[in-house]
Amino acid sequence: NKPSDVVGFLEPVYRGLEKEAFLTILLTARNAAMGVDLVLLGCLNSSLVHPREVFRLPLIMATASIIFSHNHPSQDPSVSAEDMELTKRLVEVGKTIGIEVVDHIVYGNLERYVSFKEKGLL
C-alpha cells in the first residue's frame, strides 16, 4: 500500500548484503505481491541492469504491474543520475509492453530509503 510496507517486506533480503542487488516485486491487478525476482546481484557499488532481464519474469507471469528496488550498500539511499536514467528507461519499456511501474525504491536501511513515487520522480 505504501513504500514503507515495501521496505519492510524487502528488509530481510537486503539486511547485511554487501553487494548491490536489483529486485522486482511482481504485482497482481489488485497490487498483491505475486513474487520477488532477484534480477541482478552486482558488485560493491554498482550493477548493470538491462530491461530484458528486468521484464523477463513479469512477462512470463503475466504481471499487471511491478515495483523496482535496489539497495545501496553504503546505506546512503540518495538517488544517482544512473538510478534516474535507468528508471526512466524501464518505465518506458513497461509502458510499451503494458506493465505499469508503480515505484522504484532505493534502500539504504530500514529507516533510510527513497521512493521515486513519494519524491515525484516517477
Side-chain angles (χ1 to χ4, degrees), residues 27-57:
L27 303 171
T28 67
R30 296 181 184 237
N31 286 335
M34 298 170 59
V36 176
D37 184 22
L38 173 59
V39 176
L40 186 72
L41 185 60
C43 60
L44 181 63
N45 61 0
S46 68
S47 62
L48 301 173
V49 178
H50 193 278
R52 84 176 142 257
E53 283 84 25
V54 171
F55 287 100
R56 182 187 55 81
L57 189 58

Side-chain angles (χ1 to χ4, degrees), residues 71-79 83 106-109 112-114:
N71 66 320
H72 285 176
S74 67
Q75 296 192 6
D76 176 2
S78 298
V79 175
D83 294 340
V106 181
Y107 178 92
N109 60 44
R112 297 181 67 209
Y113 63 90
V114 172

Side-chain angles (χ1 to χ4, degrees), residues 7-117:
V7 170
F9 178 72
L10 293 176
E11 197 275 335
V13 175
Y14 288 133
R15 185 184 319 127
L17 195 59
E18 295 179 1
K19 294 181 179 183
E20 192 166 308
F22 189 94
L23 307 170
T24 57
I25 301 173
L26 289 64
L27 303 171
T28 67
R30 296 181 184 237
N31 286 335
M34 298 170 59
V36 176
D37 184 22
L38 173 59
V39 176
L40 186 72
L41 185 60
C43 60
L44 181 63
N45 61 0
S46 68
S47 62
L48 301 173
V49 178
H50 193 278
R52 84 176 142 257
E53 283 84 25
V54 171
F55 287 100
R56 182 187 55 81
L57 189 58
L59 284 167
I60 291 169
M61 299 289 293
T63 303
S65 57
I66 57 179
I67 296 172
F68 303 131
S69 179
H70 76 279
N71 66 320
H72 285 176
S74 67
Q75 296 192 6
D76 176 2
S78 298
V79 175
S80 69
E82 292 83 9
D83 294 340
M84 290 292 299
E85 184 58 35
L86 174 63
T87 302
K88 180 180 174 184
R89 182 175 181 203
L90 294 176
V91 166
E92 288 303 315
V93 171
K95 285 179 184 176
T96 300
I97 61 176
I99 298 176
E100 179 188 4
V101 176
V102 175
D103 203 350
H104 184 165
I105 295 175
V106 181
Y107 178 92
N109 60 44
L110 195 54
E111 291 81 31
R112 297 181 67 209
Y113 63 90
V114 172
S115 160
F116 276 55
K117 185 177 180 180

